[in-house]
Amino acid sequence: MTSPAVILSHRELISNLTQRDLKGRYKRSVLGWAWSLMNPAMSLAIYSLVFGVFFKVQAPIGANGTLKNFALYLFCGLVVWNAFSAALDGPLGAFSDTGQLLTKVYFPPELPALASVAGVAFQAAIEFGILVAFMLVVGNATWMMMLPPLVMLCAMGLGLGMGMAASVWNTRFRDVGYLITLMLQLMFYATPIVYRLDDINADQAVIRKRIGDAIAALAKVEARYAELVGELEHLDWTLGILEDELAQAKSDLAQRKRLLGPTPAFAKVAAK
């Protein structure tokens, strides 16, 4: 794992990679950056129709004491979820996409993943700005609106860590990317975003406990995987030192042979 000081020293490269990702995201599209607004808007409209109209899910009362808007309640959850899922999914292809560049120029391999998450943060800032605008229009903005950016940063940090761990395996086994997609779908509906947590009946408390246990087990697996990666990096560093020492020993031996000349046994063979 590269130290933060080394990563900060390459901040200009992170900025360039982020700009390249943002410029190429909607390249050759007619609507351009309008898609960054249309995609979450379409998701919001579909979920509001299905869960708010068809399934009659009731939104909690807002901070002003009167607002009960399911679409706005749903948008609050989608903003954080989109930031987390994009931060997890972005680093998966970062290593494979920049593999050829890494073989030509050295830079910390974490930089492409950090650049992808920086683009995610930019997209999340746009969505959060739209949410704040809606909150101001309906009169539901309070000082609590300062907390969501901190929650989003924590969610993106969690997604970045999980995505970087999975991306190592994704470079060898492409199935990992598809498994992550399935896992995100499961986590989306297991998280109270399109429904309220208190709407779940008491009889389903066992399901909630099992979901929590599964998430805790996943966190333990990720932590153990991080430990194994650290041990492998240390082993690789040790092997590199041994290879350098072996190469130096071979070089010293060859130099001593040149200085001392051929051995007596070799000289007798050469004389015959």
Side-chain angles (χ1 to χ4, degrees), residues 43 51 66 69 84 88 109 136 162 166 175 197 213 240 252 255:
S43 300
F51 292 94
T66 58
N69 190 306
F84 166 75
L88 195 158
L136 292 174
M162 296 175 63
D175 307 81
L197 188 61
D213 293 341
D252 294 342
Q255 186 176 4

Side-chain angles (χ1 to χ4, degrees), residues 88-132:
L88 195 158
D89 187 63
L92 288 178
F95 288 154
S96 58
D97 293 342
T98 58
Q100 295 182 353
L101 185 60
L102 280 170
T103 58
K104 298 178 181 179
V105 181
Y106 170 77
F107 57 86
E110 297 90 350
L111 297 189
L114 292 174
S116 67
V117 175
V120 171
F122 182 79
Q123 173 70 28
I126 294 177
E127 296 181 7
F128 180 69
I130 297 174
L131 175 62
V132 172

Side-chain angles (χ1 to χ4, degrees), residues 10-259:
H10 292 80
R11 55 185 177 273
E12 184 175 354
L13 178 58
I14 297 176
S15 176
N16 293 334
L17 291 175
T18 304
Q19 292 178 18
R20 187 191 67 173
D21 179 62
L22 292 175
K23 291 178 181 178
R25 183 173 299 180
Y26 302 107
K27 189 177 181 180
R28 295 182 181 178
S29 63
V30 178
L31 297 179
W33 276 94
W35 285 111
S36 64
L37 304 178
M38 294 182 63
N39 287 330
M42 184 60 66
S43 300
L44 178 63
I46 293 173
Y47 290 133
S48 298
L49 177 64
V50 173
F51 292 94
V53 178
F54 296 156
F55 289 96
K56 306 294 183 182
V57 178
Q58 298 295 323
I61 300 177
N64 58 8
T66 58
L67 179 67
K68 291 187 66 175
N69 190 306
F70 179 77
L72 198 57
Y73 163 76
L74 177 61
F75 192 30
C76 293
L78 284 179
V79 168
V80 180
W81 173 259
N82 289 340
F84 166 75
S85 61
L88 195 158
D89 187 63
L92 288 178
F95 288 154
S96 58
D97 293 342
T98 58
Q100 295 182 353
L101 185 60
L102 280 170
T103 58
K104 298 178 181 179
V105 181
Y106 170 77
F107 57 86
E110 297 90 350
L111 297 189
L114 292 174
S116 67
V117 175
V120 171
F122 182 79
Q123 173 70 28
I126 294 177
E127 296 181 7
F128 180 69
I130 297 174
L131 175 62
V132 172
F134 275 113
M135 289 293 187
L136 292 174
V137 170
V138 299
N140 197 52
T142 63
W143 66 270
M144 295 289 290
M145 292 296 294
M146 295 185 294
L147 297 180
L150 299 178
V151 176
M152 293 169 67
L153 286 176
C154 293
M156 286 188 290
L158 176 62
L160 174 62
M162 296 175 63
M164 291 183 65
S167 62
V168 177
W169 291 100
N170 191 54
T171 55
R172 177 168 296 185
F173 306 104
R174 295 294 180 178
D175 307 81
V176 175
Y178 300 107
L179 291 175
I180 291 295
T181 302
L182 295 177
M183 186 191 72
L184 285 174
Q185 292 179 358
L186 175 63
M187 291 177 64
F188 177 78
Y189 289 103
T191 306
I193 298 175
V194 295
Y195 58 88
R196 295 174 57 181
L197 188 61
D198 51 7
D199 290 336
I200 301 178
N201 297 328
D203 297 337
Q204 296 175 331
V206 177
I207 298 178
R208 295 202 304 270
K209 183 178 182 301
R210 289 180 178 177
I211 292 175
D213 293 341
I215 294 175
L218 180 62
K220 291 181 180 179
V221 171
E222 293 290 345
R224 179 55 183 162
Y225 173 75
E227 293 178 1
L228 291 176
V229 170
E231 294 175 0
L232 289 175
E233 289 180 351
H234 179 71
L235 178 61
D236 184 64
W237 176 75
T238 305
L239 291 176
I241 293 178
L242 292 177
E243 290 177 355
D244 293 340
E245 292 180 352
L246 180 60
Q248 184 65 34
K250 289 181 178 179
S251 177
D252 294 342
L253 181 60
Q255 186 176 4
R256 292 179 65 181
K257 285 183 177 180
R258 287 195 299 268
L259 294 175

